[in-house]
Amino acid sequence: MAFPADFTILDITGTYYMNKSLSGDTDEILALQGVGWFKRKVISTATVTLHAKHYKDDAGIEHIDIDQTITGGIPGTTEKRTLTWVERENEDHLFGAVKGRTRRIKVEELDEPYLKEGWTEDTIKYGVVQSYVESDTPKSGTTWIANQAWGMAMINGERRHVRRVKFTGPKGEDREVPIVYDYAGPL
């Protein structure tokens, strides 16, 4: 289902499902991140649901907390994003030890051309959410980078929440994959 016209990147609070038919193939990225074959196969057939809460704290700092659920018996992940571009460490049951930072940034200030493509006028006006996550190689034993831009895009004539992923793998593999979401409703 398309997102409402008034749903913008300024407040992505809501529930939504990954639309696998509109999204790119994430299996190779998961493999390069060290996710095993069985888990990847379950994820490829499962429904991935995001429950996002977007808010500002008392100091005016923007936060996005996302609880992800996956059908098929694989626990989801929890993302606690603070949009300050300060690096934070996390131990993720799926991806292992990671370091990441998140911010709001104007589209034209992004370094990667792929992350600049296809946004709606309101996303260009307000800026995308950029998430830069990399493996914590000494702890995880693998090396990869997932540089993402989040925003609203028109896909097949419908307004969608999209994460554009620019991924660099352990041997320099370069992958560009859009992840597209359907709107399920408010939290």
Side-chain angles (χ1 to χ4, degrees), residues 19 60 88 101 117 146 172:
N19 184 317
R88 290 176 170 67
R101 55 189 190 257
E117 298 173 0

Side-chain angles (χ1 to χ4, degrees), residues 4 7 17 24 44 61-62 64 70 73 89 97 109 116 121 125 139 150 158-159 171 180:
F7 190 100
Y17 304 110
S44 72
I61 296 172
E62 203 172 355
I64 302 173
I70 303 172
E89 294 183 3
E109 294 175 22
K116 297 178 181 186
E121 287 183 28
K125 176 181 175 182
K139 294 178 183 176
W150 306 355
E158 294 184 316
R159 188 173 179 81
K171 295 180 181 171
V180 180

Side-chain angles (χ1 to χ4, degrees), residues 5-8 10-11 23 31 34 55-56 71 103 107 138 148 176 184 186:
D6 62 350
F7 190 100
T8 72
L10 289 178
D11 184 1
S23 296
Y55 60 97
K56 288 186 179 178
T71 60
R103 66 180 170 183
V107 172
Q148 301 181 27
E176 297 174 343

Side-chain angles (χ1 to χ4, degrees), residues 14-18 20 26 30 33 35 39 42-44 46-53 64-81 92-95 148 150 161 163 165 179-181 187:
T15 302
Y16 26 108
Y17 304 110
M18 181 179 169
K20 293 185 180 178
T26 59
L30 291 170
Q33 288 174 304
V35 177
K39 280 188 180 180
V42 171
I43 291 169
S44 72
T47 300
V48 178
T49 305
L50 303 183
H51 306 277
K53 180 180 178 187
I64 302 173
D65 298 342
I66 300 174
D67 289 319
Q68 183 182 100
T69 57
I70 303 172
T71 60
I74 293 182
T77 60
T78 298
E79 302 175 43
K80 301 280 187 188
R81 310 287 185 141
D92 186 279
H93 74 88
L94 194 59
F95 305 116
Q148 301 181 27
W150 306 355
H161 177 69
R163 291 184 179 189
V165 181
I179 302 175
V180 180
Y181 294 93
L187 281 181

Side-chain angles (χ1 to χ4, degrees), residues 26-136:
T26 59
D27 185 71
E28 183 183 11
I29 289 176
L30 291 170
L32 292 168
Q33 288 174 304
V35 177
W37 179 87
F38 182 75
K39 280 188 180 180
R40 293 195 327 270
K41 293 308 160 202
V42 171
I43 291 169
S44 72
T45 60
T47 300
V48 178
T49 305
L50 303 183
H51 306 277
K53 180 180 178 187
H54 192 162
Y55 60 97
K56 288 186 179 178
D57 64 21
D58 292 338
I61 296 172
E62 203 172 355
H63 297 261
I64 302 173
D65 298 342
I66 300 174
D67 289 319
Q68 183 182 100
T69 57
I70 303 172
T71 60
I74 293 182
T77 60
T78 298
E79 302 175 43
K80 301 280 187 188
R81 310 287 185 141
T82 304
L83 279 64
T84 58
W85 206 236
V86 173
E87 186 173 271
R88 290 176 170 67
E89 294 183 3
N90 186 41
E91 181 67 36
D92 186 279
H93 74 88
L94 194 59
F95 305 116
V98 297
K99 300 183 290 187
R101 55 189 190 257
T102 306
R103 66 180 170 183
R104 179 174 302 284
I105 184 172
K106 292 291 187 182
V107 172
E108 64 269 12
E109 294 175 22
L110 290 163
D111 293 335
E112 297 290 344
Y114 173 70
L115 300 181
K116 297 178 181 186
E117 298 173 0
W119 302 116
T120 58
E121 287 183 28
D122 58 296
T123 296
I124 292 169
K125 176 181 175 182
Y126 301 131
V128 295
V129 172
Q130 182 184 19
S131 166
Y132 186 93
V133 178
E134 60 187 320
S135 58
D136 190 343

